[in-house]
Every structure is written in C-alpha cells, then in structure tokens.
Amino acid sequence: MSKDNTAELDDGFVPPFSKAPLGAVLGGFAAAMSAVGTAAIGALMLLIVADVIGRNFLNLPITGVSEIAARSVVAIVFLQVPAAILQKRLTRADFLVRRIERASPAAVALLEATFCIVGAVVFALIFWSSWPKFIQSWHSAEFFGVQGVWTIPTWPFRAITVLGAFTAILAALYRAVSDLRSMGGAK
C-alpha cells in the first residue's frame, strides 16, 4: 500500500469519537442511513424482478411497483447523499483536483470547502421547500396509488427527503469546517 493510499484511509469519514465527537456521531448516522439506502436498493431490485417474473411468466403482476420504484429512488438518494458528502464521493473531476493538489494543497482545501458550503446552501433550500410538503402530507393523510385498489402514504418518503437534506446540510458544513482547518496544515 502506498503512502497516498494510507493517507486516504486515514481520512475516513467516521473519525474516532475521542478526536471528533461530532464527526463520529454524524459519520455513524450517515453510515446507518447509507446502509438503509443500500438495503432499499436490494429490496427494490427484488420487487422489480418479482414483478417482471410475475407479469411475464405467471400473468400475475404486482400492483404498485412503478409507484413504489418512483418514490423509492428519491428516498434512496437522500438516504445515501450525507455519507457521499462525508466520504468526498460526490461526482467531481478527481483528475483536476489531484493536479491542483500537487501545486497547492491549500487551494484544494479551499475549493472543497467552497463546494461544501454551496452544497449546504442547496440542501438547505431543498429542506426549506420539502418541510411544508412533509407536514401537509402528514396532516392530510396524503397517499399515492389507486384508491380502493392499492395505496401507500406519502409522508414516509417525504420524511426521508427532509431527514436526508438536513443530514446533508450538517455533513456539508462539517466537511467545510474540516477542509478549512486543513488549510492551515497544508504544505
């Protein structure tokens, strides 16, 4: 294992509690959310395969699969985005970041912090716009599906969006502070 690889492993997104209690709690919660999202991907895959088999071979389609899939994909993204932020795994041009880092590690830390602050603002806007919809769906017992045939409440999906956006805000702000602190230690 090269020196670069060990540095990447040491920069884990769940720091030890003794070094960073807030980071450890946030990282652990984000990891748990990501694990739930991963399990949801597996469950969704099984549901879709069961529907395809039932529809094509047994002439017994499963009612509501398309509605569940449409809502689940959004929920899965919001379950996994906080961990992606903390792990620095969001879509980016790593080749460019590595080149800039060779020239100026402080510039990369500033770039990463700026990216995280902008991300926090975006997720704050998502949270702000999603919260009233969550409350409304909770109070009105809003559902999707065909009444009398198959329905499911919308509030759990909206709650996941709100929780994921809020956790993403915290993750982005934590990462921004961490990157800004590393600017002082960058050579």
Side-chain angles (χ1 to χ4, degrees), residues 108-159:
V108 169
L110 182 62
L111 182 66
E112 292 283 356
T114 303
F115 178 73
C116 287
I117 291 168
V118 169
V121 169
V122 169
F123 282 106
L125 291 171
I126 292 170
F127 178 84
W128 180 69
S129 67
S130 298
W131 180 258
K133 292 177 184 177
F134 163 65
I135 296 299
Q136 178 186 6
S137 69
W138 176 271
H139 289 298
S140 68
E142 180 184 9
F143 63 90
F144 61 91
V146 178
Q147 195 167 8
V149 178
W150 181 87
T151 60
I152 191 167
T154 60
W155 72 262
F157 297 95
R158 294 191 189 278

Side-chain angles (χ1 to χ4, degrees), residues 90-110:
L90 289 177
T91 304
R92 66 222 231 121
D94 280 339
F95 74 94
L96 182 61
V97 171
R98 281 190 230 117
R99 283 188 180 176
I100 295 170
E101 189 171 34
R102 277 187 239 131
S104 173
V108 169
L110 182 62

